Amino acid sequence: MDLKAVNEILSQFPEERGNLIGILHEVQNYFSYLPEAELRYISKKIDIPITQIYSVANFYNRFSLAPKGNNQICVCMGTACHVKGSEKIMNELQEKLQIQKGETTEDLLFSLDEVRCIGACGLAPAVVVNEDTHGLVKPKMVGKILSKYKP
Ligand code: FES
């Protein structure tokens, strides 16, 4: 457990009890997810039951209870992208990464998720990797896109 980091985060919140979401937000930023040991420690420090912390963490989808990959891939599954074959793109990504949507690769390099319309329907089917939007994606382009994000 990274006590130093958690204590530093807690020190930013003088009114700890009222700032659970802010605290979780900082923990998520630091660790890229909400590690169990750290949550249990926070629960004791701010005197909020761990069950309550988990229910807040589960309610907001910006929080993740499992480690996320360094690169977040989101395949748009909105109507325009669906019509243009986003399902095939998702299948290709799942096959190449050997994970299902919602999962993270073992080497923590990639996480794969779906989103609904990212406002780039003219570029359908679209895939977002981190801050980059890839448009007019075809299944055969997937390998090349992934290679841009590999070390
Ligand atoms: S439906 Fe995919 S960008 Fe709009």
Side-chain angles (χ1 to χ4, degrees):
M1 180 167 61
D2 192 340
L3 261 187
K4 187 170 175 269
V6 177
N7 282 330
E8 266 173 32
I9 289 169
L10 288 174
S11 71
Q12 296 169 35
F13 296 91
E15 302 246 347
E16 291 165 340
R17 280 186 66 89
N19 276 315
L20 180 58
I21 291 175
I23 292 168
L24 294 182
H25 186 71
E26 291 301 318
V27 172
Q28 168 85 38
N29 277 352
Y30 185 83
F31 295 97
S32 299
Y33 77 113
L34 302 176
E36 184 183 346
E38 277 74 1
L39 291 188
R40 289 193 179 281
Y41 176 77
I42 289 167
S43 161
K44 284 200 181 106
K45 287 286 279 187
I46 66 176
D47 195 24
I48 291 182
I50 188 73
T51 49
Q52 193 180 330
I53 294 183
Y54 273 116
S55 76
V56 170
N58 281 317
F59 183 77
Y60 294 97
N61 53 14
R62 74 179 126 132
F63 296 132
S64 171
L65 293 167
K68 282 281 182 187
N70 291 343
N71 299 289
Q72 310 279 320
I73 305 172
C74 289
V75 180
C76 181
M77 292 298 200
T79 307
C81 288
H82 182 75
V83 168
K84 298 273 187 166
S86 56
E87 197 68 45
K88 285 185 187 147
I89 308 298
M90 178 62 91
N91 290 342
E92 186 71 15
L93 279 161
Q94 290 181 151
E95 199 178 309
K96 283 237 171 348
L97 296 171
Q98 290 290 293
I99 55 172
Q100 296 300 303
K101 65 183 162 198
E103 294 181 346
T104 297
T105 55
E106 257 180 46
D107 59 7
L108 297 181
L109 203 49
F110 295 104
S111 291
L112 180 61
D113 285 298
E114 64 177 31
V115 287
R116 299 277 157 195
C117 193
I118 53 164
C121 305
L123 296 175
V127 174
V128 179
V129 185
N130 306 329
E131 310 296 318
D132 310 329
T133 301
H134 300 270
L136 307 171
V137 177
K138 296 190 171 23
K140 65 179 184 211
M141 295 162 65
V142 163
K144 201 170 174 190
I145 292 173
L146 289 177
S147 66
K148 281 189 185 178
Y149 301 92
K150 289 182 181 166

